[in-house]
């Protein structure tokens, strides 16, 4: 049966209760377990290596705190370090002084981008804003229909131009429409591809020039693990991202992608998707993700 990392660390240190220092050999065993648990959670190898080294340094020479068992103490160090690595507490997306606050959603096809656009719009509507969605995935009529259906179910308007493939033009026009219609939040659902390609990246750069977004968010599928890290790295280098939305965390993904993306790409995780329904979007909390990885 699957034993959580917390349990494993507790059993390594079980004979070492009470006062004194954590012993070197116990720490070595504990670091091995931590390394394995993180690799199992699909965390990037280099990130694991650096992480374990930091935890080891902190654990060495630690006096055992009276209130904790040695195992609990190392778990605490691991938890604090995981939290630090994944960034500080969640900060809501800032609202521009001159509306509309423009949010550009990017990502590969199937990552959950269109769903995330609708979820995000719903969140803003629920907090008293007047969002508008933009269907800028012009190559797949089904994608435009999907966004229209989602928008209708939320009673949120969707801007689309069925006969145009001028994505940058559509976004610029959408911004004017939002302004005149008094919509203060504009969420742009861009095209996805099965893989990263130059055309897509150029299109996104064009959109950013014509309708400069206040927030460029990359939607990535947590189930793809380390692949998600590569995708995030590529989008950040080619187009530039401010933060990510990590989807499908209701599946078996253990959260390794969250840790690696933050550490490798250096961009925070803004939200997590935890289901197909439109209310299944949550602010990202590093401490909760740390608990998930720790088990
Ligand atoms: P897009 O191609 O990136 O726009 O992806 P979609 O928004 O169409 O989503 C692709 C599939 O993933 C759909 O079946 C969604 O219902 C599903 N999906 C999106 N987000 C989540 C999530 O957080 N959890 C789960 N379980 N499924 C999701």
């Amino acid at each position: 049966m699957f034993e959580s990392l917390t349990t494993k660390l507790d059993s390594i240190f079980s004979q070492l209760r009470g006062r004194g220092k954590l012993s070197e050999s116990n720490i070595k065993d504990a670091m091995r377990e931590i390394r394995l648990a993180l690799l199992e959670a699909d965390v990037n190898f280099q990130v694991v290596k650096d992480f374990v080294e930091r935890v080891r340094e902190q654990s060495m020479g630690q006096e055992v705190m009276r209130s904790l068992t040695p195992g609990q103490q190392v778990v605490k160090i691991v938890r604090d370090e995981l939290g630090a690595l994944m960034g500080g507490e969640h900060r809501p997306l800032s609202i521009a002084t001159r509306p509309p606050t423009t949010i550009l959603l990017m990502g590969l096809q199937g990552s959950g981008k269109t769903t995330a656009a609708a979820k995000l719009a719903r969140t803003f509507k629920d907090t008293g804003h007047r969002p508008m969605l933009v269907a800028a995935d012009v190559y797949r009529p089904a994608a435009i229909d999907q966004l229209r259906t989602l928008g209708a179910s939320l009673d949120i308007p969707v801007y689309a131009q069925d006969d145009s493939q001028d994505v940058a033009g559509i976004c610029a026009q959408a911004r004017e429409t939002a302004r005149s219609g008094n919509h203060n939040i504009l969420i742009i659902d861009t095209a996805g591809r099965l893989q990263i390609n130059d055309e897509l990246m150029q299109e996104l750069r064009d959109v950013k020039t014509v309708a400069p977004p206040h927030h460029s968010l990359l939607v990535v599928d947590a189930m793809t693990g380390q692949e998600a890290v590569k995708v995030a790295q590529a989008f950040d280098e080619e187009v530039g991202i401010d933060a990510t939305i990590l989807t499908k965390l209701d599946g078996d993904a253990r959260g390794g992608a969250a840790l690696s993306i933050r550490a490798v790409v250096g961009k925070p995780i803004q939200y997590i998707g935890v289901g197909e329904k439109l209310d299944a979007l949550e602010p990202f909390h590093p401490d909760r993700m740390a608990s998930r990885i720790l088990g």
Side-chain angles (χ1 to χ4, degrees), residues 5-16 25-34 71:
L5 178 58
T6 307
T7 317
K8 282 182 189 161
L9 294 181
D10 255 336
S11 73
I12 290 172
F13 291 107
S14 60
Q15 70 277 36
L16 221 179
S25 74
N26 281 304
I27 288 178
K28 203 168 158 214
D29 290 346
M31 294 312 122
R32 198 176 143 267
E33 293 299 341
I34 294 167

Side-chain angles (χ1 to χ4, degrees), residues 108-115 119 146 248 250 273-276:
L108 294 183
Q109 199 171 308
S111 60
K113 192 166 33 60
T114 303
T115 311
K119 286 174 174 177
Q146 185 191 354
K248 309 189 194 181
D250 49 314
V274 292
E276 294 190 70

Side-chain angles (χ1 to χ4, degrees), residues 73-282:
Q73 191 159 335
V74 173
V75 168
K76 182 179 179 314
I77 293 171
V78 173
R79 188 182 298 275
D80 291 349
E81 272 294 317
L82 280 175
L85 196 62
M86 285 187 283
E89 260 313 291
H90 171 85
R91 267 184 292 159
L93 291 175
S94 59
I95 303 296
T97 41
R98 183 160 185 259
T101 299
T102 305
I103 302 168
L104 185 68
L105 290 188
M106 305 178 272
L108 294 183
Q109 199 171 308
S111 60
K113 192 166 33 60
T114 303
T115 311
K119 286 174 174 177
L120 202 53
R122 180 185 182 277
T123 306
F124 279 112
K125 190 180 177 206
D126 284 354
T127 47
H129 293 283
R130 285 174 46 81
M132 189 172 108
L133 287 156
V134 185
D137 185 352
V138 294
Y139 311 106
R140 292 187 309 134
I144 302 180
D145 290 343
Q146 185 191 354
L147 195 65
R148 279 198 174 117
T149 306
L150 293 172
S153 75
L154 295 167
D155 199 18
I156 291 172
V158 175
Y159 182 89
Q161 288 181 8
D162 291 288
D163 48 2
S164 168
Q165 292 209 337
D166 170 16
V167 175
I170 291 172
C171 294
Q173 193 60 46
R175 211 156 56 142
E176 290 314 311
T177 307
R179 242 176 226 146
S180 56
N182 202 21
H183 290 286
N184 70 333
I185 310 277
L186 196 64
I187 300 171
I188 304 174
D189 180 24
T190 59
R193 303 278 202 284
L194 289 174
Q195 280 164 338
I196 291 163
N197 70 23
D198 294 343
E199 223 179 317
L200 173 63
M201 297 296 168
Q202 187 55 49
E203 180 175 302
L204 293 169
R205 282 194 291 264
D206 290 346
V207 170
K208 279 184 96 168
T209 309
V210 174
H214 298 92
H215 304 287
S216 299
L217 305 182
L218 178 71
V219 179
V220 277
D221 178 345
M223 301 286 287
T224 60
Q226 304 225 33
E227 190 53 32
V229 182
K230 282 195 207 139
V231 170
Q233 229 169 350
F235 272 84
D236 191 38
E237 279 164 18
E238 301 263 342
V239 191
I241 63 173
D242 298 317
T244 56
I245 298 180
L246 204 54
T247 63
K248 309 189 194 181
L249 270 167
D250 49 314
D252 341 314
R254 304 250 340 258
L259 194 60
S260 309
I261 286 178
R262 185 68 178 82
V264 175
V265 188
K267 296 293 156 71
I269 295 154
Q270 188 71 31
Y271 293 102
I272 58 171
V274 292
E276 294 190 70
K277 295 222 178 82
L278 296 184
D279 60 358
L281 184 77
E282 295 176 1

Side-chain angles (χ1 to χ4, degrees), residues 20-92:
K21 285 194 176 24
L22 299 177
S23 86
E24 211 162 310
S25 74
N26 281 304
I27 288 178
K28 203 168 158 214
D29 290 346
M31 294 312 122
R32 198 176 143 267
E33 293 299 341
I34 294 167
R35 185 179 300 116
L36 287 176
L38 292 179
L39 289 174
E40 245 170 58
D42 207 13
V43 178
N44 173 289
F45 180 74
Q46 189 59 43
V47 175
V48 173
K49 210 163 159 246
D50 297 345
F51 181 85
V52 170
E53 188 46 35
R54 275 199 306 282
V55 172
R56 194 182 66 78
E57 272 169 21
Q58 283 193 46
S59 305
M60 297 283 283
Q62 280 263 343
E63 296 286 340
V64 177
M65 280 160 68
R66 228 174 275 254
S67 55
L68 299 178
T69 67
Q72 286 168 338
Q73 191 159 335
V74 173
V75 168
K76 182 179 179 314
I77 293 171
V78 173
R79 188 182 298 275
D80 291 349
E81 272 294 317
L82 280 175
L85 196 62
M86 285 187 283
E89 260 313 291
H90 171 85
R91 267 184 292 159

